[in-house]
Amino acid sequence: MIEKTYTMIKPDGVANKHIGQIISRFENAGLTIERMELSKVTKKQAVANYAEHKGKPFYDKLIAYVTSGPVVKMVVSGEGAVSKVRQLMGATNPKEAAPGTIRGDFGLVMDENVIHGSDSKESAKREISIFFGK
């Protein structure tokens, strides 16, 4: 089934010039980039996107990090897009991510792990709305 998902190349992925390589991985996996924008995440967007983490020890650092520089926001579609993007990203902690995954190849530390991707179809719908509007 064709799905849409939200993914974002985080500030470290942009600063370290991994945009093209990451987009190529999505396209090579049969996914389509439907929308894409290079911009900074506003504090309001970051707070809305990471609401489930509010109160956790890493929350303030996460908000500061994701708003610290430009990101690439994307709506990606394709057969099983949510799970396919999650597989391409690899484990959240780059030290645990398999070689060949985005985080395994480009991630350096847990706090700056190159990429964000929706974890479900429901999250994708909510996150697309946060970053691209209704």
Side-chain angles (χ1 to χ4, degrees):
M1 182 165 112
I2 300 296
E3 298 173 346
K4 289 185 183 187
T5 192
Y6 175 76
T7 189
M8 171 175 61
I9 303 172
K10 294 180 179 178
D12 61 311
V14 173
N16 292 322
K17 301 184 180 352
H18 297 307
I19 298 168
Q21 294 170 80
I22 292 170
I23 290 170
S24 290
R25 289 178 187 215
F26 292 152
E27 292 181 331
N28 289 340
L31 297 166
T32 299
I33 310 298
E34 287 196 10
R35 294 183 72 176
M36 182 167 58
E37 176 184 312
L38 175 72
S39 65
K40 284 188 81 174
V41 172
T42 66
K43 184 165 184 180
K44 182 179 177 182
Q45 289 172 324
V47 166
N49 192 54
Y50 293 110
E52 72 271 14
H53 298 304
K54 189 170 179 133
K56 295 180 182 174
F58 60 85
Y59 177 78
D60 290 337
K61 191 173 181 181
L62 173 62
I63 298 301
Y65 158 65
V66 82
T67 59
S68 68
V71 301
V72 176
K73 307 170 194 177
M74 291 178 275
V75 176
V76 178
S77 67
E79 190 73 35
V82 173
S83 63
K84 200 174 276 189
V85 167
R86 303 285 300 169
Q87 289 172 346
L88 290 167
M89 290 189 326
T92 302
N93 185 342
K95 292 178 180 169
E96 298 170 1
T101 65
I102 293 166
R103 290 181 178 138
D105 292 349
F106 306 126
L108 301 175
V109 294
M110 177 78 164
D111 294 344
E112 298 182 9
N113 63 2
V114 184
I115 194 162
H116 166 86
S118 301
D119 62 4
S120 67
K121 289 187 265 187
E122 296 75 27
S123 291
K125 187 174 182 178
R126 181 180 63 82
E127 293 175 355
I128 290 167
S129 174
I130 290 168
F131 293 103
F132 288 103
K134 300 280 181 216

